[in-house]
Amino acid sequence: QKEVEQNSGPLSVPEGAIASLNCTYSDRGSQSFFWYRQYSGKSPELIMSIYSNGDKEDGRFTAQLNKASQYVSLLIRDSQPSDSATYLCAGGRNTGNQFYFGTGTSLTVIP
Amino acid sequence: ETGVTQTPRHLVMGMTNKKSLKCEQHLGHNAMYWYKQSAKKPLELMFVYSLEERVENNSVPSRFSPECPNSSHLFLHLHTLQPEDSALYLCASSQESGQGDYEQYFGPGTRLTVT
């Protein structure tokens, strides 16, 4: 059973558009969620964390969490070519050893 | 040095070799992790050390042996590996409070090829 599932994509959006990345999770006890960006050949880089239902905004990024629906999303506004990467959703319980990554969604922003 | 560093960045080894991967974190964190990343698969958590005590070993074959001498250093000792062990090995660290706010920060990884 996959703990965290993401649409593997690839997802393509034009420059300046909103990119929407989605993730679902199976463990209702999960309370911590993270989005990582991974460029090809590089390691994952943390871009957002979210722990409460609702929206959390940081610059062009907005993370959304709906625990009732077991759904996490990441919106990227005004997408730039430099946002082209694989985005990893991760979530888990209250310690780092109960923590799972999705397979990632590949995003391409077309100039 | 800042963040999380890993050495070597690339490693090619034969199936009979013994080698070690090294990770060092400069963030003052109290937990460190080893992950394996293979193509088309989710990141696989291998080992977790919290306050220098191993708290997780996700059914990892015994040919992988972790060591955490202090809260800043983590090693992964490798011996008698198989070609399917070829992957990117990532180290991460976090500050564990037990409250779920364990943001993990990754090192650059070691690209391992087993021949």
Side-chain angles (χ1 to χ4, degrees):
Chain A
Q1 179 185 4
K2 292 184 179 179
E3 302 287 347
V4 175
E5 292 202 41
Q6 294 181 252
N7 184 337
S8 61
L11 175 66
S12 293
V13 300
E15 184 174 355
I18 295 175
S20 178
L21 304 163
N22 305 312
C23 173
T24 58
Y25 61 94
S26 60
D27 182 1
R28 281 202 171 272
S30 296
Q31 55 183 277
S32 305
F33 301 90
F34 307 88
W35 283 99
Y36 287 82
R37 176 176 61 199
Q38 187 172 23
Y39 292 114
S40 180
K42 301 293 186 182
S43 61
E45 172 193 8
L46 180 67
I47 52 174
M48 291 286 286
S49 59
I50 186 166
Y51 308 107
S52 303
N53 275 328
D55 295 358
K56 179 181 178 182
E57 186 175 320
D58 183 0
R60 295 187 296 112
F61 299 96
T62 299
Q64 299 173 318
L65 173 59
N66 183 325
K67 290 187 179 180
S69 300
Q70 296 179 238
Y71 177 91
V72 188
S73 66
L74 179 71
L75 301 177
I76 307 174
R77 290 182 300 281
D78 189 24
S79 295
Q80 302 297 309
S82 59
D83 294 326
S84 298
T86 296
Y87 288 80
L88 304 174
C89 173
R93 294 193 172 214
N94 64 345
T95 60
N97 60 317
Q98 300 171 303
F99 186 63
Y100 303 95
F101 279 85
T103 52
T105 298
S106 174
L107 171 67
T108 300
V109 180
I110 303 167
Chain B
E1 293 281 11
T2 59
V4 181
T5 58
Q6 290 185 244
T7 55
R9 296 292 306 277
H10 300 272
L11 178 62
V12 179
M13 59 186 288
M15 290 191 288
T16 58
N17 291 159
K18 288 184 180 181
K19 296 286 184 183
S20 295
L21 309 184
K22 178 183 175 183
C23 175
E24 183 173 359
Q25 60 97 0
H26 308 268
L27 300 169
H29 289 163
N30 62 5
M32 297 186 77
Y33 312 80
W34 279 117
Y35 285 90
K36 176 183 178 183
Q37 188 173 38
S38 305
K40 306 298 184 186
K41 288 187 177 180
L43 276 166
E44 300 172 47
L45 179 61
M46 300 175 71
F47 300 105
V48 180
Y49 278 84
S50 181
L51 298 174
E52 300 162 39
E53 180 179 335
R54 189 192 308 181
V55 296
E56 187 69 19
N57 176 350
N58 281 338
S59 302
V60 178
S62 60
R63 56 185 183 269
F64 295 92
S65 174
E67 178 189 0
C68 187
N70 56 60
S71 61
S72 299
H73 294 87
L74 185 65
F75 295 89
L76 188 62
H77 304 298
L78 315 171
H79 67 95
T80 324
L81 293 192
Q82 304 298 308
E84 60 265 29
D85 297 322
S86 298
L88 180 67
Y89 288 85
L90 291 159
C91 174
S93 72
S94 71
Q95 184 63 24
E96 285 273 0
S97 68
Q99 302 301 313
D101 53 342
Y102 45 86
E103 297 177 345
Q104 296 185 13
Y105 295 87
F106 285 85
T110 295
R111 174 67 63 184
L112 173 66
T113 303
V114 181
T115 61

